[in-house]
Amino acid sequence: MKKTLVLIYLLICVAGASAQQQPGLINNIAGRSSVSLDGQWKTIIDPYEVGNDLHFPKDARPKDKSDLLEYSFATTDSLNVPGDWNTQRDELFFYEGAIWYRKSFDYARKPGTRLFVHFGAANYLAEVYLNGEKVGRHEGGFTPFNFEITNLVREKENSLVVKVDDKRYPEGVPTLVTDWWNYGGLTRQVTLVEVPLTFIQDYFIQLRQGSKNQISGWVKLNGEKPAQKITVSIPDAGINKTFMSDESGSAEINFNADLTLWSPEHPKLYGVVITSETDHVRDEIGFRSIEVKGPDILLNGQPLFLRGVCIHEEAPLRGGRAYSREDARTLLGWAKELGANFVRLAHYPHNELMVREADRLGLLVWSEIPVYWGIKFESPVAFEAAQNQLGEMISRDHNRASIILWSVANETPNNPARLAFLKKLVERARSLDPTRLMTAAMLHHYADESTQMIDDPLGQYLDVIGCNEYIGWYDGLPEKADRMQWKTVYQKPVVMSEFGAEAVYGQHGDELTRWSEEYQESFYRHQLGMLKKIPFLRGTAPWILMDFRSPRRFLPGVQDYYNRKGLISSRGERKRAFYVMQEFYRELQR
Ligand code: GCB
């Protein structure tokens, strides 16, 4: 069985490698020797996309005083990496298009090593050139990718040029319209990663689905010496096991372990060391089981209610894309203060530091790809983009205990093309990771004037049903929730994956005054009254932890390009509704 899974995985890797997009070979940089390329990068704004014609990748300098050259990285302005460009310069706030980045660096590569350049994310399309040669291209704004540069790098004055283009296009994922800011640029860390000639490309070390003491997974080597002895050790658990990889570099691993299980109350992480004859990596991994049984979610065999909150990757306090450990600590710290044991990281894979902090803090995670609203479900281009992002999300985070749910979509229209598209994504995710639960945020509809029905056919392929609803905000006034009951055709856990109302922090009025904290507070009281009565409800994730920028929220003096549904303002002020939710989560823990 496991052999088949490893085989399927490898076939997928091979298939993926032949596709136009190549996310690269490095799956985990955390335990690697690396050099950061973060900091100031020279940039050229190229709204008409003439940079290729003018040979920007060559990063040329005039040869003599007569030479005609109409660009210069050396003397242009810089942008900080990581960071979106929109919040770094006023004139780039609304900019969507191409910007060229250039970083020069020296690098003394040790003999007998390979070198990769790794990008945490670039939104949305990236073309990468080193010393004038194209090394690769990547599509998708929220997942990592890397390219091998072993044969191109030199000791002095390397020129790394990256064209980043965040123009929206119909077949992109996401597509043209989103309710979040299209922050462009090299939004996450850029790193040079040096590995041995044959290195540990990836590993999957998790409890077997349904088991609390059997670790099963695989290790994959890449390079000229694929067949090697591999040791997996977990010193704290007294584990030291040896395996052999085969001619394709794959080793299947399987062993029993007596472990302290990871949970929100006790987020135990073990140091796990994987050693091959030529390489070693160390990671911090938690072990827990996650299953569903009828309408219940079981964590380590125990039924669990997900006390959640949705979070966008918006930087707390300073605004723009979040990327740092400090950002992650602030956002997740607020979620903990709310009483959460669960976060929905909406609407795309967040940076790796968020997930690693969730591992440390004991927050369960829902992670999703930006298959959002009206993607072009008939298009093979859109499917390829979605599938790649799904694969990259899973391969980056498949060893994180915090992640219990992979989500394939948010509020997508119910039609046959979309069902076929999402079914394939669910199958793909299950083949890549058989241990986690599959979900999607779906819609509901009226069965009669006081009954909401959840019966989207997508539900048949999922383990956990996510449902977004805005009764009392887009649909009537808050008290409308009092008259609503919920039904579902599925014998599966339901998580209310969104509900919320907008309020400006500090704006007061009565409970019927839109945008006031009192309206939002009343909305939450009525919502909770309704939600408590849903017998199959196993989690809540209100929309949203903090106000975030959106290009479709115009109301002057109120929204000003912010979606104000945050329980906390963008400056960190808790609104009244925050305390209503906090009280509910306290009650649940009593
Ligand atoms: C939704 C979307 C979310 C929006 C939210 C809203 O249903 O999933 O992305 O931001 O509603 O505030 O309208």
Side-chain angles (χ1 to χ4, degrees):
M1 172 64 184
K2 276 283 133 351
K3 274 229 162 70
T4 329
L5 286 175
V6 173
L7 195 68
I8 293 173
Y9 175 80
L10 293 174
L11 285 174
I12 288 164
C13 290
V14 172
S18 63
Q20 153 207 48
Q21 175 157 328
Q22 296 173 352
L25 296 176
I26 305 283
N27 290 66
N28 175 24
I29 61 167
R32 290 275 174 202
S33 122
S34 62
V35 172
S36 167
L37 292 182
D38 293 348
Q40 297 290 304
W41 288 51
K42 294 291 191 178
T43 49
I44 301 176
I45 305 165
D46 181 13
Y48 290 5
E49 291 200 55
V50 293
N52 284 103
D53 300 338
L54 296 181
H55 308 297
F56 286 8
K58 297 258 177 265
D59 186 11
R61 328 261 148 108
K63 286 187 223 44
D64 53 41
K65 65 182 182 187
S66 317
D67 200 11
L68 173 63
L69 203 60
E70 293 190 79
Y71 75 94
S72 158
F73 277 111
T75 52
T76 188
D77 290 336
S78 299
L79 283 169
N80 200 58
V81 174
D84 63 83
W85 62 55
N86 313 72
T87 58
Q88 294 192 52
R89 272 192 232 154
D90 289 347
E91 75 268 25
L92 294 177
F93 188 65
F94 286 103
Y95 183 71
E96 293 185 295
I99 292 192
W100 294 76
Y101 286 74
R102 199 283 320 260
K103 183 84 174 168
S104 345
F105 65 93
D106 298 340
Y107 194 84
R109 183 170 65 82
K110 285 197 228 50
T113 60
R114 296 164 69 180
L115 191 69
F116 291 79
V117 58
H118 182 279
F119 297 84
N123 189 34
Y124 174 80
L125 277 175
E127 275 172 31
V128 181
Y129 302 84
L130 184 67
N131 300 329
E133 300 289 325
K134 184 165 180 178
V135 296
R137 170 186 184 276
H138 181 264
E139 175 171 354
F142 302 94
T143 42
F145 54 98
N146 58 90
F147 302 109
E148 183 157 8
I149 52 171
T150 309
N151 298 327
L152 283 175
V153 73
R154 53 193 184 214
E155 286 216 351
K156 294 280 169 212
E157 287 184 39
N158 290 281
S159 162
L160 179 62
V161 172
V162 187
K163 177 188 177 193
V164 184
D165 184 352
D166 77 339
K167 265 191 308 306
R168 290 163 292 122
Y169 79 103
E171 295 181 313
V173 176
T175 178
L176 298 175
V177 180
T178 60
D179 190 23
W180 70 82
W181 208 263
N182 184 26
Y183 290 119
L186 292 175
T187 49
R188 296 183 189 158
Q189 285 77 6
V190 183
T191 320
L192 295 173
V193 187
E194 197 177 87
V195 295
L197 292 181
T198 302
F199 68 101
I200 299 165
Q201 180 186 327
D202 199 5
Y203 48 88
F204 185 63
I205 299 182
Q206 295 281 284
L207 284 174
R208 189 174 54 78
Q209 165 81 84
S211 168
K212 294 195 204 60
N213 61 4
Q214 199 193 346
I215 291 184
S216 94
W218 43 264
V219 176
K220 171 85 178 85
L221 304 186
N222 182 288
E224 55 191 24
K225 191 169 181 269
Q228 293 194 23
K229 191 172 105 181
I230 294 170
T231 307
V232 176
S233 68
I234 311 178
D236 269 11
I239 302 274
N240 194 46
K241 302 277 177 193
T242 301
F243 306 89
M244 280 303 297
S245 56
D246 61 19
E247 284 304 320
S248 71
S250 304
E252 196 185 315
I253 62 162
N254 240 310
F255 55 87
N256 285 336
D258 181 15
L259 299 159
T260 302
L261 297 180
W262 184 100
S263 69
E265 296 72 35
H266 188 67
K268 166 76 184 160
L269 297 178
Y270 285 93
V272 176
V273 183
I274 305 163
T275 314
S276 74
E277 292 160 32
T278 52
D279 193 14
H280 71 277
V281 285
R282 188 182 188 283
D283 203 348
E284 302 271 316
I285 300 182
F287 299 95
R288 50 102 197 94
S289 79
I290 190 79
E291 300 162 274
V292 290
K293 195 171 166 206
D296 286 332
I297 301 173
L298 306 180
L299 177 74
N300 300 328
Q302 297 300 315
L304 167 86
F305 189 90
L306 299 174
R307 305 187 308 270
V309 65
C310 296
I311 305 182
H312 256 298
E313 197 185 41
E314 182 102 0
L317 312 175
R318 67 165 199 280
R321 259 290 161 258
Y323 54 75
S324 68
R325 191 180 301 280
E326 201 184 332
D327 293 337
R329 286 196 176 140
T330 305
L331 290 168
L332 297 179
W334 287 343
K336 293 280 283 188
E337 182 189 329
L338 186 69
N341 61 6
F342 168 66
V343 289
R344 174 181 176 209
L345 301 183
H347 276 305
Y348 37 74
H350 288 210
N351 66 79
E352 188 174 355
L353 295 166
M354 276 295 270
V355 185
R356 288 204 175 255
E357 279 305 305
D359 258 17
R360 285 193 192 107
L361 291 169
L363 283 162
L364 298 156
V365 171
W366 158 320
S367 182
E368 72 190 65
I369 50 170
V371 173
Y372 182 87
W373 293 349
I375 294 289
K376 285 248 180 276
F377 289 104
E378 331 65 44
S379 154
V381 175
F383 183 74
E384 185 69 12
Q387 177 164 264
N388 279 327
Q389 294 184 50
L390 180 76
E392 289 166 2
M393 168 176 79
I394 294 175
S395 73
R396 191 193 71 183
D397 289 340
H398 59 188
N399 289 305
R400 302 284 72 81
S402 52
I403 298 196
I404 53 166
L405 287 162
W406 299 124
S407 170
V408 291
N410 179 78
E411 293 182 358
T412 48
N414 179 9
N415 62 53
R418 163 273 200 175
L419 193 60
F421 184 110
L422 295 181
K423 175 175 186 266
K424 279 198 280 175
L425 288 186
V426 171
E427 287 166 356
R428 165 56 71 100
R430 289 194 196 281
S431 73
L432 293 173
D433 178 2
T435 71
R436 288 181 177 77
L437 306 174
M438 295 306 304
T439 193
M442 301 189 297
L443 296 165
H444 54 100
H445 65 89
Y446 277 87
D448 61 52
E449 64 177 21
S450 61
T451 309
Q452 299 295 335
M453 173 59 88
I454 304 175
D455 60 3
D456 184 326
L458 176 59
Q460 67 190 294
Y461 305 120
L462 307 175
D463 303 305
V464 172
I465 308 289
C467 180
N468 295 354
E469 57 92 4
Y470 285 88
I471 298 161
W473 182 254
Y474 294 121
D475 175 11
L477 295 171
E479 54 77 37
K480 189 168 189 187
D482 305 349
R483 287 173 271 123
M484 230 31 96
Q485 56 159 345
W486 286 77
K487 292 206 167 129
T488 170
V489 296
Y490 298 110
Q491 268 294 309
K492 297 184 181 187
V494 170
V495 171
M496 221 45 105
S497 39
E498 284 182 29
F499 52 97
E502 293 195 45
V504 181
Y505 171 77
Q507 190 150 311
H508 296 288
D510 64 18
E511 292 182 354
L512 293 176
T513 306
R514 291 259 176 193
W515 320 109
S516 73
E517 282 196 51
E518 286 74 9
Y519 186 110
Q520 190 191 36
E521 179 185 19
S522 153
F523 168 93
Y524 271 86
R525 291 198 191 287
H526 288 284
Q527 278 290 315
L528 294 179
M530 175 186 78
L531 294 171
K532 284 177 193 169
K533 289 187 285 196
I534 305 179
F536 43 81
L537 190 73
R538 292 298 179 273
T540 44
W543 189 256
I544 186 169
L545 182 67
M546 189 186 80
D547 293 350
F548 60 96
R549 280 214 180 84
S550 164
R552 55 194 297 282
R553 304 289 171 179
F554 307 101
L555 196 63
V558 174
Q559 294 176 307
D560 299 317
Y561 292 111
Y562 271 89
N563 181 318
R564 301 278 181 198
K565 293 192 187 71
L567 295 170
I568 300 181
S569 79
S570 59
R571 285 190 295 270
E573 299 126 332
R574 281 71 166 159
K575 303 179 196 172
R576 297 170 77 108
F578 179 91
Y579 300 103
V580 177
M581 221 39 228
Q582 188 186 51
E583 182 49 32
F584 174 56
Y585 285 163
R586 281 193 184 140
E587 265 170 42
L588 285 173
Q589 291 175 81
R590 271 180 210 130

